[in-house]
Amino acid sequence: MAAVLVVVLSAAAAAMLPEMANASPAGGFQPLSKIAIHRATVEMQPSAFVQATPSLLGAKEEDTEWVTVKYGWTNRSVDDWIAVFSPSDFNSSGKCPNPARYPGEPLLCTAPIKYQYANYSAQYANSGAGSIRFQLINQRSDFAFALFTGGLDNPKLVAVSKPVAFVNPKAPVFPRLAQGKTQDEMAVTWTSGYDIAEAYPFVEWGAVVSGAGGQPGRSPATTLTFSRGSMCGEPARTIGWRDPGFIHTAFLRDLWPNKEYYYKIGHELQDGSVVWGKSYTFRAPPSPGQNSLQRIIVFGDMGKAERDGSNEFANYQPGSLNTTDTLVKDLDNYDIVFHIGDLPYANGYISQWDQFTAQVAPITAKKPYMIASGNHERTWTNSGGFYDGKDSGGECGVPAETMYYYPAENRAKFWYKVDYGMFRFCIADSEHDWREGTEQYKFIEECLSTVDRKHQPWLIFAAHRVLGYSSNAWYGMEGSFEEPEGREHLQKLWQKYRVDIAFFGHVHNYERTCPIYQSQCMTSEKNHYSGTMNGTIHVVAGGGGSHLSDYTTAIPVWSIFRDRDYGFVKLTAFNHSSLLFEYKKSSDGMVYDSFAIDRDYRDVLSCVHDSCFPTTLAS
């Protein structure tokens, strides 16, 4: 995608936008943050025009549509750009939460949901007229396309299209599955424009029966939302704000292990009619300890990108579509996904959460999609998190905690466990204090200590920031190879309870360590592990799609494999004693690193350093 943009964007335009060409992966700027919308003025020009077709979308109940936008202006410039706004009345009075600086000031107070340079269409530079296509998703309101001049730093609105809208902008869209608090429960979350006072949300569902349809049942759904006042700071409270609609969650309970079910989301209106979403199927999770083929996907830091080529000038999330598409193509060959933090990188531009749920919907509608909290979801100064900073753009965790379900006891405390067949996953929240003596530390120890390794031999720890080991460049400069105070507080637990693998994101690359404890490799083996378990393998799987991170030049002795590319990890449990680990690149889905574990229950019981309490002989 980025290569195509470089070719299409003219040299003249690139020369006039040096800050964009250099806003690179190191800076990691949210593309919408490049627009100085607070400086925008309205200077409508009679010779400028913007036309969008078709004007009515979703005639066949589609939730994603392509729109052709034609535009022109006699006084064109190389830095003119087309913006997509929603709602369409973005330039009307009364939209600004802050007062004007002077009477009658023509302010624009909301950022667009996406943008593209006018000379993306080659004809614009020559003739002053161009045509490009945008992909729109149903986002509960209508859209308008606007032509700006003055670049991104001093935007001047010169023309606006007539509104474009979906037939039913409130329709339920983009279902998101997640395993509930028990293995026989599946949560279905989705977004709509219907408040509970307008319609009753529910899921119609039942078992898939060979040769005949099963008797459907209905499960009611809860309804949540959040407001501008829920945000902690800018831009989420100001130009980045967009109404998120309503988020609904229903629980499908008493599922039979591994059985296939169908479901359809719906809203019953006051007159008794029903607005339906699309139909999907899923397979219920295996019961804890069940001996069957179980396949897990793990990655972090994916972000979102636009299939129409817009918004990508900062090269912020160049690999996210490759990761998404590779996983979509392979849907039949895995069972559950763990996205361990940094989801859309919305950074306070709330519209981007809709864009992300649409991007991953082909996955989340059919597979449980379990998430963790990252710095770009949570970090905000003086908001109760473990870190100070502004990585979340003022979101302070609210969109992530509302848009997705996860089986935590307290949604604001983003830690939970998942029992999936022969696996137990202990998902920690690196954005809240994990140190010894804290509430989260107690959860981590309970999660690790209460698993029955006879029946669930594969014990996995995961968090967003690297609490274990990474030879990432900035960690190397700090001389720590970890998040400060990370493993110092947790490695005793990993060793004592024999954690097989600890996964982390945050660093945008891939790295695997040897089985390690206290910075020492516990074996010289690199590709096959068997016998007594004596250390935890630490894996950074942060190459989901965002700009890539560099390594230190020196390779630590514990670093077995490093790859600065986009990719994800797949775990395959064949039975209680055999596990296959594979690192796959997003570009082709091929395996570039792997290892196998063959281990019996007695190998987990065997005492090694710091893993067992002192013992005494029986009298």
Side-chain angles (χ1 to χ4, degrees):
M1 183 71 73
V4 174
L5 289 177
V6 170
V7 172
V8 175
L9 188 63
S10 69
M16 293 196 65
L17 296 164
E19 78 280 5
M20 295 191 53
N22 296 325
S24 80
F29 293 108
Q30 218 293 340
L32 295 176
S33 72
K34 303 294 292 181
I35 303 171
I37 201 70
H38 61 286
R39 297 179 190 162
T41 57
V42 179
E43 302 181 16
M44 306 296 282
Q45 300 295 320
S47 63
F49 71 92
V50 184
Q51 299 170 344
T53 55
S55 60
L56 192 62
L57 311 175
K60 297 181 180 179
E61 300 183 353
E62 302 94 336
D63 50 34
T64 303
E65 287 267 37
W66 286 85
V67 174
T68 299
V69 179
K70 296 181 179 180
Y71 50 90
W73 189 27
T74 56
N75 194 26
R76 61 194 177 278
S77 176
V78 293
D79 60 356
D80 294 350
W81 50 287
I82 296 286
V84 185
F85 284 91
S86 180
S88 65
D89 60 346
F90 66 98
N91 62 334
S92 65
S93 61
K95 287 291 179 183
C96 292
N98 301 317
R101 292 165 293 183
Y102 57 84
E105 179 187 19
L107 287 178
L108 300 186
C109 297
T110 181
I113 60 175
K114 60 171 72 177
Y115 66 96
Q116 180 58 276
Y117 279 91
N119 62 6
Y120 190 81
S121 173
Q123 296 84 354
Y124 186 74
N126 299 321
S127 66
S131 176
I132 56 178
R133 299 179 75 219
F134 284 99
Q135 187 184 61
L136 300 183
I137 64 170
N138 195 342
Q139 284 185 268
R140 304 169 305 282
S141 189
D142 58 2
F143 303 85
F145 300 84
L147 176 61
F148 285 85
T149 191
L152 303 182
D153 289 333
N154 295 287
K156 300 176 180 64
L157 176 64
V158 297
V160 181
S161 75
K162 293 181 180 179
V164 169
F166 279 81
V167 172
N168 180 9
K170 293 186 174 185
V173 292
F174 312 131
R176 309 180 278 280
L177 297 177
Q179 187 167 316
K181 292 183 179 180
T182 57
Q183 84 287 346
D184 61 350
E185 177 181 83
M186 189 72 74
V188 184
T189 300
W190 71 95
T191 306
S192 85
Y194 292 112
D195 193 356
I196 192 66
E198 298 178 83
Y200 301 104
F202 65 93
V203 173
E204 183 170 282
W205 63 286
V208 174
V209 180
S210 179
Q215 184 63 35
R218 288 188 177 183
S219 293
T222 61
T223 298
L224 298 174
T225 189
F226 54 91
S227 66
R228 189 193 297 265
S230 305
M231 303 293 98
C232 290
E234 296 183 7
R237 286 180 69 98
T238 56
I239 61 171
W241 172 253
R242 187 179 189 275
D243 191 309
F246 301 97
I247 295 89
H248 316 279
T249 299
F251 296 94
L252 318 185
R253 296 186 169 96
D254 298 324
L255 304 176
W256 289 27
N258 284 68
K259 193 168 185 62
E260 189 175 8
Y261 290 85
Y262 67 89
Y263 74 96
K264 185 162 59 171
I265 54 181
H267 291 260
E268 183 179 309
L269 304 179
Q270 298 295 337
D271 63 4
S273 62
V274 174
V275 177
W276 292 104
K278 298 177 181 178
S279 295
Y280 299 95
T281 62
F282 69 87
R283 190 168 296 279
S287 58
Q290 179 177 307
N291 190 20
S292 59
L293 182 67
Q294 295 154 18
R295 303 156 301 178
I296 318 292
I297 299 293
V298 183
F299 62 86
D301 307 81
M302 185 161 74
K304 54 152 287 293
E306 300 293 338
R307 295 190 184 277
D308 54 26
S310 59
N311 277 23
E312 287 308 298
F313 309 104
N315 197 28
Y316 196 28
Q317 299 131 359
S320 62
L321 289 180
N322 275 353
T323 301
T324 300
D325 293 346
T326 298
L327 291 174
V328 170
K329 290 176 184 175
D330 205 37
L331 269 176
D332 292 337
N333 295 311
Y334 59 88
D335 305 301
I336 187 171
V337 175
F338 287 83
H339 186 161
I340 53 175
D342 284 6
L343 280 68
Y345 291 84
N347 295 5
Y349 293 88
I350 307 303
S351 66
Q352 304 306 287
W353 280 93
D354 287 320
Q355 304 290 328
F356 178 77
T357 59
Q359 177 177 302
V360 298
I363 304 169
T364 65
K366 294 184 69 69
K367 306 293 179 180
Y369 198 88
M370 315 305 297
I371 67 169
S373 180
N375 55 302
H376 285 276
E377 278 78 58
R378 183 63 180 81
T379 298
W380 191 257
T381 302
N382 296 324
S383 67
F386 190 56
Y387 296 90
D388 276 343
K390 297 190 174 182
D391 294 349
S392 75
E395 294 179 10
C396 54
V398 175
E401 293 164 12
T402 311
M403 299 287 286
Y404 282 81
Y405 174 81
Y406 46 94
E409 293 301 321
N410 182 333
R411 299 286 292 280
K413 298 173 181 177
F414 221 123
W415 51 80
Y416 62 93
K417 71 176 176 69
V418 174
D419 289 318
Y420 192 89
M422 294 176 284
F423 290 90
R424 169 165 288 185
F425 289 85
C426 298
I427 309 300
D429 180 1
S430 62
E431 306 314 298
H432 282 90
D433 197 347
W434 63 82
R435 293 174 297 180
E436 195 165 356
T438 63
E439 182 182 0
Q440 182 171 196
Y441 185 92
K442 294 175 183 176
F443 156 78
I444 294 170
E445 181 160 29
E446 181 181 19
C447 185
L448 299 178
S449 66
T450 55
V451 63
D452 179 355
R453 299 298 287 275
K454 292 188 299 295
H455 300 111
Q456 291 180 278
W458 311 118
L459 182 56
I460 310 296
F461 175 89
H464 178 65
R465 294 178 189 255
V466 180
L467 306 181
Y469 296 83
S470 165
S471 62
N472 170 61
W474 77 71
Y475 285 142
M477 287 188 291
E478 295 170 356
S480 62
F481 295 114
E482 57 157 328
E483 206 67 35
E485 300 187 78
R487 61 177 179 266
E488 285 79 359
H489 286 266
L490 295 176
Q491 64 182 346
K492 291 182 295 183
L493 298 183
W494 297 329
Q495 181 76 350
K496 179 178 180 180
Y497 299 112
R498 312 300 184 82
V499 171
D500 290 284
I501 305 172
F503 281 103
F504 308 100
H506 195 55
V507 174
H508 300 171
N509 55 38
Y510 169 77
E511 185 168 22
R512 168 171 69 94
T513 75
C514 58
I516 191 170
Y517 180 52
Q518 294 181 335
S519 300
Q520 301 297 314
C521 288
M522 307 306 289
T523 177
S524 60
E525 180 56 61
K526 296 182 178 181
N527 299 309
H528 185 267
Y529 303 102
S530 60
T532 300
M533 182 184 178
N534 53 11
T536 296
I537 297 169
H538 292 256
V539 175
V540 172
S546 192
H547 57 282
L548 293 169
S549 303
D550 293 322
Y551 301 98
T552 57
T553 53
I555 303 176
V557 294
W558 41 257
S559 183
I560 300 300
F561 193 97
R562 306 196 301 186
D563 186 43
R564 188 183 182 276
D565 204 349
Y566 302 107
F568 54 90
V569 166
K570 182 178 182 180
L571 301 175
T572 303
F574 298 99
N575 50 49
H576 285 75
S577 58
S578 298
L579 179 72
L580 175 64
F581 174 105
E582 297 172 300
Y583 162 67
K584 298 186 174 189
K585 290 197 181 190
S586 301
S587 57
D588 57 14
M590 302 298 291
V591 177
Y592 287 80
D593 181 38
S594 65
F595 64 84
I597 300 176
D598 290 298
R599 182 187 299 131
D600 292 326
Y601 177 51
R602 64 179 181 177
D603 300 323
V604 180
L605 293 178
S606 299
C607 291
V608 295
H609 184 64
D610 286 347
S611 72
C612 293
F613 290 108
T615 58
T616 184
L617 292 174
S619 59

